[in-house]
Amino acid sequence: MARAKDPAAARDQGFRDFYVARGTRLRATAYLLCGDWHLAEDLVQAAFTKLYLAWPRIYRYEHLDQYAHRTLLHTFISERRRAWRREDPVRELPEDRASTSSTASRTEDRMVLLDALAGLPVRQRATLVLRFFEDMSVEQTADLLGITQGAVKTHTHRALAALRSKLGSLIVNHTDTLSLVPKKEIR
């Protein structure tokens, strides 16, 4: 006698499929938000834990990607409020960083950009990541962050101005502020 498929097992399979399809992309977004691969892994794990707990009521949600991004952003913002997360790791660079090739120069530029991005306030950083890396519209970003479209534009303007003042010519040489972080390299 054939057994009917368990609805809970079907939901769990749906969650696994969603994780496989979206986990890498959310990890890349988390990395751009926090600048640390290990912390990005923790953020994605915490976000997917929250998603799993809510899965029985959200798995049929039409905008599941947006819900997942919002969960990740809220997790990131919540983590940044914890006192022990505010400690910045010491990042000493060797004195003789002579870059002989364009790849080394590009890698160095990318690291400088990521450090500058990490120095931005949380909302400004989240706005830049969503707008330029995730390629979201002002409306989508506002909805995801739970702020007005005007606030998104203000955060974007202030964040880009801060990056320009920190980076000077590096930002002028690139049309997209996050173009130094190739999407294919972030895994």
Side-chain angles (χ1 to χ4, degrees):
M1 184 175 224
R3 294 176 59 181
K5 191 169 185 179
D6 182 20
R11 277 195 312 269
D12 284 350
Q13 183 60 44
F15 180 79
R16 281 191 291 276
D17 292 344
F18 182 76
Y19 176 79
V20 167
R22 304 297 191 280
T24 302
R25 185 67 179 177
L26 283 176
R27 183 173 172 251
T29 300
Y31 173 72
L32 288 173
L33 289 170
C34 67
D36 180 320
W37 284 114
H38 299 291
L39 181 55
E41 288 283 342
D42 292 345
L43 289 171
V44 170
Q45 181 178 5
F48 272 105
T49 299
K50 292 175 183 178
L51 287 171
Y52 182 76
L53 294 173
W55 197 255
R57 79 171 189 278
I58 67 167
Y59 75 99
R60 292 184 182 151
Y61 189 62
E62 186 176 320
H63 303 288
L64 204 48
D65 283 335
Q66 187 175 4
Y67 191 92
H69 275 92
R70 181 175 292 160
T71 303
L72 178 66
L73 286 169
H74 286 250
T75 303
F76 169 67
I77 290 169
S78 175
E79 285 291 316
R80 292 296 294 178
R81 290 181 181 142
R82 295 176 190 227
W84 63 276
R85 287 285 191 202
R86 287 189 214 126
E87 296 176 8
D88 289 332
V90 177
R91 296 181 185 186
E92 293 184 23
L93 297 175
E95 291 297 322
D96 57 340
R97 294 185 299 164
S99 44
T100 57
S101 71
S102 64
T103 303
S105 175
R106 189 150 171 86
T107 301
E108 184 178 316
D109 289 349
R110 187 176 319 124
M111 295 305 296
V112 169
L113 176 66
L114 290 173
D115 284 343
L117 188 62
L120 293 175
V122 174
R123 293 281 179 169
Q124 290 180 9
R125 185 175 344 145
T127 302
L128 285 184
V129 169
L130 292 174
R131 292 278 293 123
F132 298 108
F133 182 75
E134 290 293 332
D135 199 27
M136 290 185 180
S137 68
V138 172
E139 296 81 19
Q140 291 170 320
T141 303
D143 186 46
L144 203 60
L145 291 175
I147 58 178
T148 65
Q149 292 179 23
V152 169
K153 292 175 185 178
T154 300
H155 286 313
T156 302
H157 174 76
R158 289 180 180 163
L160 289 175
L163 287 179
R164 281 186 192 102
S165 70
K166 288 180 184 178
L167 301 177
S169 65
L170 179 64
I171 204 85
V172 173
N173 293 335
H174 300 281
T175 59
D176 180 342
T177 59
L178 298 181
S179 67
L180 293 176
V181 185
K183 295 177 185 178
K184 291 181 182 176
E185 280 188 25
I186 298 178
R187 289 208 167 95

